[in-house]
């Protein structure tokens, strides 16, 4: 079994997704006429112009913060450090590139999720890749496989991974037994998760902006203190990406090492094309009342995750001068060393607290995706949701003290499968995305507030819930 899982991961992450996610990002960037650059300000308008909702959904800001809760996790602290260790400073440049093209992919998948959303038996919005695969492509079997893969990866095992990171960081920094940390995380997570998606949205709306702003402020403080070195660090990142300068610390992997590690870590961090964030994008009440507006919101999530938070981690590590491939120090230990240089012993505690916030919000964000997928499988009733919540909390407890690599590899394989299915789906439905985008932009140019009107989309008559789009 272990050999089969490793084989699948090699296929998915070594070939299909490494190149497929990049290719799809470039495809949508070109097909949508560089939408993430030309219409960048639209991302902020879709979040902040009218932060409102209705009785069936959550607000655009809440949808953004929940998706950020899932995206912004240990990968932003430990993953960036690993990318630097294995690929040198140039890896950060390729993380930027992956995020910039991935913004177009995130836009496309979340726009589709909005378009094909439905209302469940509790009158709540539900949607995501499973719904547009089943309705748009008429392939319920693939949609079912996608949903099961998502529940396994995001609803269960990845929550164990995040809990393990919290227990290790907090336990070592404050000398607390990992079991006690695990039980505490599980208790708080249960309070939030059993409050449902609306309860999770309210928590994420407060916690996520707070943790992101504090972390970015620390990075800004570090750059101000070391302002003379900042231009050199930026130049180092760009030059190292193309092999024009030896990476800091003597990394000798060259351009290929920088490219491979930057791309892999970037994809893991921003999740563009994975099919995860669309599950919460579908739950939002879009403002303006058009599917594309939620596409813009989730494209902004990719920008914040990588271009801001991952970059903040990278800059603090490079400015500290602690990157040394010969030392064997990588991951979260490298980030802790860097913060210790900048703010002294408090750096260890700060990283532990940052991991606590980042990983905890990932747990509650991941759970919302799984609940959405469960509803597609026809198991959206309270009993099944209750069992999913119990399973998610149990995995948090288990993950806080146990680490079984085969199980985590299985989650990677499940995520690889769901991402592959999602990429195929959004490319096949790209004509619909292009039409929606053209409609949205033309209405904006005409000075109107973009509004989706189903009568102009006769090809979707039997595929979408038209009643949802009657404003």
């Amino acid at each position: 079994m272990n050999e089969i899982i490793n084989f699948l991961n090699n296929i998915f992450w070594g070939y299909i997704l490494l190149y497929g996610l990049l290719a799809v990002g470039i495809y949508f960037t070109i097909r949508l006429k560089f939408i993430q650059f030309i219409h960048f300000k639209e991302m902020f308008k879709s979040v902040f112009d009218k932060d409102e909702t209705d009785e069936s959904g959550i607000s655009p800001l809440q949808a953004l913060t929940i998706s950020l809760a899932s995206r912004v996790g240990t990968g932003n602290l430990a993953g960036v450090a690993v990318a630097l260790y294995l690929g040198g400073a140039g890896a950060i440049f390729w993380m930027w590139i992956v995020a910039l093209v991935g913004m177009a992919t995130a836009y496309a998948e979340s726009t589709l999720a909005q378009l094909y959303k439905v209302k469940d038996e509790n009158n709540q919005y539900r949607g995501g890749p499973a719904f547009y695969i089943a309705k748009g492509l008429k392939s319920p079997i693939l949609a079912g496989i996608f949903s099961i893969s998502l529940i396994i990866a995001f609803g269960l095992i990845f929550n164990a991974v995040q809990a393990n990171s919290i227990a290790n960081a907090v336990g070592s920094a404050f000398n607390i037994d990992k079991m006690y940390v695990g039980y505490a995380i599980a208790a708080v997570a249960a309070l939030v998760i059993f409050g449902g998606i609306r309860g999770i949205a309210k928590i994420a709306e407060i916690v996520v902006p707070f943790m992101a702003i504090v972390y970015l402020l620390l990075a800004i403080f570090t750059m101000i203190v070391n302002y003379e070195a900042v231009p050199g660090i930026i130049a180092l990142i760009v030059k190292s990406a193309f092999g024009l300068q030896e990476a800091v610390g003597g990394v000798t992997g060259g351009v290929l090492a920088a490219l491979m590690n930057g791309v892999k870590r970037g994809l893991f961090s921003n999740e563009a094309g994975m099919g995860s964030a669309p599950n919460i994008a579908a739950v939002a009440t879009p403002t303006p009342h058009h599917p594309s507006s939620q596409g813009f919101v989730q494209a902004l999530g990719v920008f914040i995750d990588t271009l801001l938070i991952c970059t903040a981690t990278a800059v603090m590590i490079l400015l500290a001068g602690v990157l040394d491939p010969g030392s064997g120090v990588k991951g979260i230990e490298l980030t802790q060393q860097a913060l210790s240089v900048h703010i002294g012993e408090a750096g260890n505690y700060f990283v532990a607290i940052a991991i606590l916030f980042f990983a905890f919000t990932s747990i509650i964000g991941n759970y919302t995706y799984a609940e959405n997928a469960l509803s597609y499988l026809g198991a959206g009733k309270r009993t099944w949701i209750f069992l999913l919540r119990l399973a998610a909390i149990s995995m948090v407890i288990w993950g806080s003290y146990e680490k079984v690599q085969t199980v985590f590899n299985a989650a990677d394989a499940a995520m690889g499968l769901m991402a592959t299915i999602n990429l195929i789906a959004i490319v096949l439905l790209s004509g619909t995305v292009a039409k929606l985008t053209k409609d949205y932009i033309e209405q904006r140019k005409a000075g109107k507030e973009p509004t989706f009107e189903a009568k102009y989309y006769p090809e979707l008559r039997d595929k979408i819930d038209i009643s949802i789009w009657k404003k």
Side-chain angles (χ1 to χ4, degrees):
M1 179 60 71
N2 192 45
E3 290 180 1
I4 293 173
I5 291 172
N6 288 334
F7 172 76
L8 289 174
N9 278 329
N10 184 51
I11 296 296
F12 285 135
W13 297 106
Y15 298 96
I16 295 175
L17 295 178
L18 180 61
Y19 301 106
L21 283 163
L22 272 177
V24 171
I26 294 170
Y27 169 75
F28 276 110
T29 296
I30 296 172
R31 179 150 194 184
L32 301 179
K33 301 177 181 178
F34 300 89
I35 187 171
Q36 69 269 46
F37 306 112
I38 296 174
H39 300 287
F40 183 72
K41 68 178 182 179
E42 195 66 40
M43 300 177 193
F44 294 92
K45 289 175 69 68
S46 295
V47 176
F48 298 110
D49 261 13
K50 295 179 182 177
D51 187 36
E52 56 188 34
T53 185
D54 57 29
E55 62 180 10
S56 298
I58 60 176
S59 72
L61 178 59
Q62 289 174 330
L64 173 64
T65 53
I66 289 179
S67 67
L68 281 173
S70 178
R71 285 188 175 107
V72 179
T74 54
N76 296 78
L77 278 76
V80 171
V82 171
L84 284 169
Y85 182 85
L86 297 176
I92 305 307
F93 176 86
W94 295 113
M95 288 184 75
W96 293 342
I97 297 300
V98 165
L100 290 173
V101 299
M103 288 168 70
T105 308
Y107 166 86
E109 60 183 356
S110 292
T111 296
L112 289 170
Q114 266 289 313
L115 177 66
Y116 287 96
K117 69 184 179 183
V118 300
K119 286 185 179 181
D120 66 11
E121 59 268 25
N122 299 314
N123 199 38
Q124 300 298 300
Y125 292 137
R126 297 290 188 181
F131 292 81
Y132 58 70
I133 291 169
K135 295 174 177 291
L137 298 181
K138 302 292 184 182
S139 184
I141 294 177
L142 273 182
I145 294 172
F146 175 91
S147 297
I148 293 170
S149 298
L150 187 147
I151 291 170
I152 291 171
F154 283 84
L156 302 175
I157 300 176
F158 286 160
N159 281 344
V161 176
Q162 299 292 347
N164 188 272
S165 298
I166 296 174
N168 285 332
V170 174
S172 61
F174 298 97
N175 195 27
I176 303 173
D177 189 287
K178 291 196 294 184
M179 278 296 296
Y180 295 128
V181 177
Y183 283 123
I185 300 165
V188 178
L191 289 174
V192 178
I193 287 174
F194 277 88
I197 289 181
R198 284 183 177 275
I200 293 171
K202 290 177 182 178
I203 296 297
E205 192 174 20
I206 298 171
V207 176
V208 173
F210 170 77
M211 71 180 190
I213 289 170
V214 170
Y215 194 70
L216 291 174
L217 285 175
L218 178 59
I220 292 170
F221 167 77
T222 301
M223 287 188 283
I224 291 173
V225 172
N226 301 278
Y227 70 94
E228 293 180 345
V230 172
I233 292 298
I234 302 300
L236 174 67
I237 290 172
V238 176
K239 290 179 180 179
S240 298
F242 298 97
L244 301 178
Q245 181 170 330
E246 187 80 3
V248 67
V251 177
T252 57
V255 177
L256 184 60
L259 174 63
M260 294 290 284
N261 285 283
V263 170
K264 284 182 178 180
R265 296 298 168 183
L267 295 175
F268 270 110
S269 181
N270 65 53
E271 296 182 17
M274 295 287 184
S276 51
N279 288 277
I280 201 63
V283 179
T285 301
T287 53
H289 197 66
H290 193 288
S292 289
S293 65
Q294 260 304 303
F296 283 114
V297 170
Q298 295 306 324
L300 179 61
V302 174
F303 178 85
I304 293 172
D305 171 85
T306 305
L307 275 298
L308 296 184
I309 299 177
C310 286
T311 299
T313 300
V315 169
M316 287 190 287
I317 291 174
L318 292 172
L319 284 173
V322 295
L323 181 60
D324 180 10
S327 67
V329 177
K330 56 184 176 181
I332 201 65
E333 290 179 279
L334 182 58
T335 307
Q336 285 178 314
Q337 280 194 7
L339 267 294
S340 295
V341 170
H342 296 304
I343 58 176
E345 184 63 26
N348 285 326
Y349 300 111
F350 181 86
V351 171
I353 295 170
I355 283 285
L356 173 62
F357 277 103
F358 281 22
F360 178 78
T361 53
S362 287
I363 290 171
I364 62 176
N366 288 345
Y367 168 77
T368 63
Y369 299 163
E371 184 176 306
N372 222 37
L374 193 68
S375 69
Y376 170 77
L377 295 173
K381 294 183 178 179
R382 291 185 178 179
T383 300
W384 288 105
I385 290 177
F386 178 79
L387 291 174
L388 175 64
R389 290 170 179 172
L390 281 183
I393 297 303
S394 298
M395 290 300 287
V396 168
I397 296 172
W398 176 79
S400 65
Y401 68 89
E402 194 70 54
K403 189 172 183 179
V404 182
Q405 193 60 45
T406 301
V407 177
F408 295 158
N409 286 344
D412 286 340
M415 185 168 67
L417 178 60
M418 60 177 267
T420 301
I421 294 172
N422 183 57
L423 288 178
I424 294 170
I426 62 176
V427 169
L428 292 176
L429 294 170
S430 60
T432 300
V433 177
K435 184 175 180 178
L436 287 165
T437 304
K438 182 180 179 183
D439 177 34
Y440 188 97
I441 299 302
E442 285 180 349
Q443 289 189 60
R444 272 290 189 216
K445 287 182 178 179
K448 303 176 182 178
E449 181 175 281
T451 302
F452 177 77
E453 296 189 44
K455 64 183 179 181
Y456 297 127
Y457 297 81
E459 70 276 14
L460 299 174
R461 185 176 294 112
D462 299 323
K463 297 180 178 180
I464 64 173
D465 186 343
I466 295 176
S467 65
I468 289 177
W469 294 104
K470 290 179 180 179
K471 191 169 183 180

